[in-house]
Amino acid sequence: MYRLLDCITQEHHYGLVAVAALICIVGSALSAHMSTRLTQWTGKRRLVQLPLAGLVTGATIWSTHFIAMLAYEPGYDHAYEPVLTGVSLLVGVLGSLAANAGLAFARGAVGPILAGAVFGLTVSAMHYVGMQAYQLPGTIDWRLGTVVVSVLLGIGFGAASYWGIATQRSGLRGRILPALLMCVAICLMHFTGMSAIEIRLDSAVEVPPKAMSEAAMAMLIFGVTGIILLIAVASASIEVNMEDETRNQLQLAAMHDPLTGLRNRMWLTRRLEALKLRLNENEVARVAIMTIDLDLFKEVNDVYGHAVGDTVLMQVSQRLTRQLSEGEYLTRIGGDEFVAIKEGFRRIEEVLSFAERMHAEIIEPIDLEEVSLRVGASIGIATTLEDGRDPEGLLYKSDVAMYRAKSEPDTPICTFNAEMDRSSREKTQMVHDLRLALQGDEFELVYQLQNALETLAPVGFEVLLRWNHPVRGRISPDEFIPVAEETGLIRDIGRWVLREACREAANWSRPFSVAVNVAPQQLVQPSFIEDVMDILMETGVSAERLELEITEASIIDDQAHTLKVMHKLKALGIRIAMDDFGTGYSSLATLQAFPFDKIKIDRSFVQDVHKDAQRAAIVRSTLLLGAALDIPVLAEGVEVEDELHFLRGESCASVQGFYFGQPMTRDDMRLIACEQNEDTETATHVA
């Protein structure tokens, strides 16, 4: 220890020692930074970084050594052998390359430590090769113990440095500590190694004439060091700038919609957070939020394709953007839905004017190459004037108002009010209750007779769903079925209805058919066919007794998929009926294309058919169409004798309705379905 201190304090020029330390610190910091990147990057970036990091690290070791040698003042002439000097630089670079390769591709906790040990050995090898280039009038004797200690110090601190790089601890200490340990490894190894020498002067030994002088050596060292460090600094600067640019580009991409270039939902979330702080700090600040949803956009996609739909969205976005003034912002939050924000207004009329400008731009014709299109818009508005000062709450309320506008075609722009909030909360509560209804066994099936018109004998039952709410009592299907369809709950409810209907039909002693309504959302389920097969197998009902009723909406939404599903159902032996015929867009082509086993005329055409000539004409046309296509027709909603006589006169195949009784409970239905007397006919008639 005393020898080491004496070597540093008595035999070295302090100024050059400080320069060596500065070079070592700067080089170590750059080396640690570049080595850290090796553990973070992969592929080509890592392969490019590897030799550059090896060059900088090796040059740092070499420069520190030889600048410190320039600081060494033995008191007699000395010089440096050029070949070995160059070899020592090569040793430093190649050894550092090996160490960094070990760090980059290390596996497990031991790998970085071994890589650091290689770095320490590189420092030692470079030092002692460099000392062989040191020429003086005499010989150098080495203290072996001190040499070993110097090598161990280099290995130990080098391993610690590389372990710190690999662990990548956060914070300032995590970045500084590996560089500091690397610097200590280089400096401590060097000065410990220098303290191991003992020079024996010999006048017979001369410094070779081709050896480099200290002046030449200084120029070489500072030239090489300057160039390499300049390369390293430039590389680090370019890397940082590229990372900043990439980060900014990613930030821009993350905050903007790639199709329209508008700000997106993430930007909106952050804006709402900023607005919340502003509204809390400034009590007079005002904000309005508008939710905008395009009308008829789905039809554009269905008829003209998604490419045209994208073009429509881009044109609408450009139009709306041109309308924005100071304090007005527009975002696209998904699909054909937008959110606009207006700040700094005084009166609600200013907000309404903004909404009307937006609406006017949207409804203008959109001229494309081969077609001119029109879309509408439903706009909901909520403001801090009357609807609270929570931006998230305003967004929710504007969404509620938008849905009200969508349900009222004559009112495309709606401002939020308490009644809307009540309706929205009731709907939310109903969704929650529907989820619990399946678990709580609150649903019930009732059964409506289907009768052959010629004999009035029962031929089957249509199952109808009823909901017995524990608090509200029985809720009409007209009230909860649309909510179930909108939320997708109809899939689970429909599966339950089908299973219960088949389970009940399996217990009937008479082979009546059982008709079950299928919602459009069920047909698009990938597992629908499998679910039907499982239920048939589970309950043991013959497929020929099951009749699935499909509405026209199911066909219109996705004809190709519906046709595929229907053919698979028919292959199982299941019969398929078109429900509510005449209320939608059905045509002769539809009936020809789809394999229906029955057509059900909607009750709205059957009611008073004997008194209304127009309804009579529609019913006759449907019956003629069914006869031409050899598809039996069932008339729904028969309530009086005159309607029955009219249908019988027009050769309708079967009927159902209140004329034969109200939908029956399970127990009443069983009196018919499980009756052993085959002649039960008009006994079911309820006058």
Side-chain angles (χ1 to χ4, degrees):
M1 176 62 72
Y2 291 111
R3 173 60 187 143
L4 174 61
L5 293 175
D6 184 64
C7 173
I8 296 173
T9 59
Q10 302 299 321
E11 300 175 3
H12 286 78
H13 185 279
Y14 292 160
L16 288 175
V17 170
V19 173
L22 178 62
I23 293 295
C24 188
I25 292 170
V26 173
S28 296
L30 289 171
S31 298
H33 170 76
M34 300 177 79
S35 297
T36 300
R37 292 303 193 206
L38 292 174
T39 64
Q40 298 171 342
W41 292 346
T42 58
K44 292 183 178 179
R45 293 186 69 186
R46 181 161 64 181
L47 293 177
V48 171
Q49 183 80 346
L50 186 58
L52 185 59
L55 179 63
V56 173
T57 304
T60 298
I61 300 169
W62 184 82
S63 301
T64 302
H65 170 82
F66 278 103
I67 293 174
M69 289 302 298
L70 291 177
Y72 182 57
E73 298 176 341
Y76 38 78
D77 293 335
H78 53 276
Y80 301 89
E81 200 280 318
V83 175
L84 286 175
T85 300
V87 170
S88 66
L89 175 60
L90 188 61
V91 169
V93 172
L94 293 179
S96 298
L97 180 63
N100 286 333
L103 176 67
F105 300 102
R107 296 292 181 269
V110 179
I113 296 175
L114 293 177
V118 172
F119 168 78
L121 287 172
T122 299
V123 175
S124 302
M126 184 269 128
H127 174 86
Y128 290 112
V129 171
M131 289 302 298
Q132 294 300 314
Y134 188 60
Q135 305 292 318
L136 72 163
T139 59
I140 298 176
D141 292 336
W142 299 91
R143 296 185 183 88
L144 183 59
T146 307
V147 170
V148 172
V149 170
S150 70
V151 174
L152 292 177
L153 286 171
I155 291 173
F157 281 97
S161 173
Y162 273 57
W163 178 81
I165 292 171
T167 54
Q168 297 180 19
R169 294 184 177 182
S170 59
L172 189 61
R173 189 175 72 171
R175 292 192 294 270
I176 290 178
L177 186 60
L180 182 60
L181 289 171
M182 185 179 292
C183 185
V184 170
I186 296 171
C187 293
L188 197 55
M189 186 276 137
H190 173 85
F191 287 109
T192 303
M194 291 301 294
S195 68
I197 68 174
E198 184 175 337
I199 298 174
R200 298 183 183 278
L201 297 176
D202 186 348
S203 59
V205 178
E206 295 183 357
V207 177
K210 293 184 180 181
M212 289 189 295
S213 65
E214 277 200 337
M217 190 64 183
M219 292 177 62
L220 175 65
I221 294 170
F222 285 110
V224 171
T225 303
I227 292 172
I228 292 177
L229 291 183
L230 184 62
I231 293 173
V233 171
S235 173
S237 176
I238 292 171
E239 173 196 320
V240 170
N241 290 336
M242 289 182 63
E243 285 190 347
D244 289 342
E245 184 178 344
T246 302
R247 190 179 296 108
N248 291 335
Q249 290 176 347
L250 290 174
Q251 183 79 356
L252 185 66
M255 294 293 177
H256 287 75
D257 172 49
L259 176 64
T260 63
L262 295 176
R263 298 177 177 95
N264 62 10
R265 184 182 291 274
M266 183 178 293
W267 181 91
L268 177 63
T269 300
R270 296 191 179 182
R271 187 66 183 177
L272 293 179
E273 293 172 354
L275 285 175
K276 185 173 185 178
L277 294 175
R278 180 183 169 194
L279 292 173
N280 289 336
E281 294 171 355
N282 186 353
E283 294 183 358
V284 298
R286 294 176 178 179
V287 173
I289 296 180
M290 300 189 306
T291 299
I292 306 169
D293 190 80
L294 301 186
D295 299 331
L296 304 177
F297 182 72
K298 183 179 183 300
E299 286 75 4
V300 172
N301 274 334
D302 291 344
V303 175
Y304 300 102
H306 289 280
V308 172
D310 289 346
T311 302
V312 169
L313 286 174
M314 288 188 287
Q315 290 207 18
V316 168
S317 300
Q318 291 168 4
R319 291 179 180 181
L320 297 181
T321 301
R322 288 195 297 267
Q323 287 296 318
L324 296 178
S325 301
E326 184 178 356
E328 297 172 350
Y329 306 92
L330 181 68
T331 68
R332 180 188 177 215
I333 61 174
D336 59 343
E337 192 168 355
F338 302 81
V339 170
I341 298 175
K342 184 174 179 63
E343 304 175 26
F345 59 91
R346 294 183 178 181
R347 298 175 296 112
I348 187 64
E349 286 77 13
E350 297 176 56
V351 179
L352 293 174
S353 176
F354 178 40
E356 288 166 0
R357 280 190 283 127
M358 292 290 190
H359 185 263
E361 286 291 338
I362 293 172
I363 64 175
E364 282 294 312
I366 300 172
D367 297 321
L368 304 179
E369 292 183 0
E370 299 179 355
V371 66
S372 180
L373 303 174
R374 283 181 181 269
V375 293
S378 301
I379 302 177
I381 303 173
T383 74
T384 53
L385 295 175
E386 297 180 355
D387 306 319
R389 297 183 66 79
D390 176 29
E392 287 286 351
L394 292 177
L395 178 61
Y396 163 75
K397 291 175 181 179
S398 71
D399 195 57
V400 171
M402 182 272 291
Y403 278 106
R404 173 59 62 89
K406 190 171 283 290
S407 67
E408 299 177 0
D410 296 333
T411 312
I413 301 173
C414 280
T415 56
F416 179 80
N417 60 44
E419 190 275 330
M420 293 180 190
D421 187 42
R422 181 188 60 79
S423 299
S424 176
R425 292 183 186 279
E426 287 179 356
K427 181 178 177 181
T428 302
Q429 183 63 45
M430 179 170 286
V431 172
H432 175 265
D433 292 347
L434 277 171
R435 296 184 190 278
L436 298 178
L438 272 174
Q439 305 171 11
D441 196 25
E442 298 173 15
F443 288 121
E444 173 191 0
L445 294 183
V446 295
Y447 302 81
Q448 187 167 36
L449 267 173
Q450 295 179 335
N451 299 70
L453 187 55
E454 184 177 351
T455 64
L456 299 185
V459 293
F461 294 91
E462 179 183 1
V463 296
L464 305 172
L465 182 63
R466 298 293 183 264
W467 181 14
N468 299 311
H469 193 281
V471 176
R472 298 175 56 187
R474 178 160 285 189
I475 299 178
S476 168
D478 293 338
E479 187 175 349
F480 72 83
I481 290 296
V483 176
E485 290 180 340
E486 183 181 336
T487 58
L489 290 172
I490 194 65
R491 298 184 181 96
D492 293 332
I493 294 174
R495 189 184 301 112
W496 180 87
V497 170
L498 183 60
R499 179 176 286 106
E500 289 300 309
C502 290
R503 182 180 291 125
E504 182 62 36
N507 296 319
W508 298 345
S509 60
R510 304 179 68 184
F512 290 140
S513 64
V514 57
V516 181
N517 288 281
V518 176
Q521 293 86 344
Q522 290 177 265
L523 287 176
V524 299
Q525 279 185 286
S527 62
F528 178 69
I529 300 294
E530 185 178 347
D531 288 342
V532 173
M533 294 174 62
D534 290 344
I535 289 171
L536 290 176
M537 186 174 297
E538 173 189 335
T539 59
V541 171
S542 170
E544 290 74 15
R545 293 178 58 198
L546 177 61
E547 184 176 282
L548 298 181
E549 298 185 359
I550 298 175
T551 63
E552 296 176 71
S554 303
I555 300 172
I556 298 300
D557 287 344
D558 191 342
Q559 294 192 16
H561 177 75
T562 303
L563 183 60
K564 187 185 300 183
V565 170
M566 288 175 64
H567 279 300
K568 290 182 179 179
L569 292 171
K570 291 278 291 182
L572 296 174
I574 297 170
R575 293 183 297 161
I576 302 173
M578 172 177 276
D579 198 16
D580 301 334
F581 183 82
T583 60
Y585 304 95
S586 295
S587 63
L588 175 60
T590 303
L591 293 175
Q592 285 180 315
F594 290 84
F596 289 108
D597 298 287
K598 183 184 291 184
I599 299 172
K600 297 186 71 174
I601 305 176
D602 187 71
R603 67 183 67 249
S604 62
F605 301 112
V606 175
Q607 185 179 13
D608 295 331
V609 67
H610 57 290
K611 296 187 295 184
D612 190 310
Q614 189 175 27
R615 293 179 184 176
I618 293 174
V619 171
R620 287 193 185 99
S621 298
T622 304
L623 292 169
L624 288 172
L625 185 61
L629 297 174
D630 196 23
I631 303 176
V633 177
L634 180 148
E636 294 184 293
V638 177
E639 297 186 4
V640 298
E641 186 82 27
D642 289 338
E643 294 169 353
L644 193 67
H645 286 320
F646 176 88
L647 294 169
R648 181 178 284 136
E650 299 297 332
S651 301
C652 184
S654 55
V655 290
Q656 72 179 64
F658 292 168
Y659 178 82
F660 300 94
Q662 297 284 337
M664 291 175 278
T665 64
R666 181 177 60 184
D667 292 338
D668 291 338
M669 174 273 299
R670 285 178 176 176
L671 294 177
I672 299 173
C674 299
E675 174 63 52
Q676 297 299 321
N677 182 8
E678 297 290 336
D679 297 326
T680 301
E681 294 182 2
T682 58
T684 60
H685 173 71
V686 177

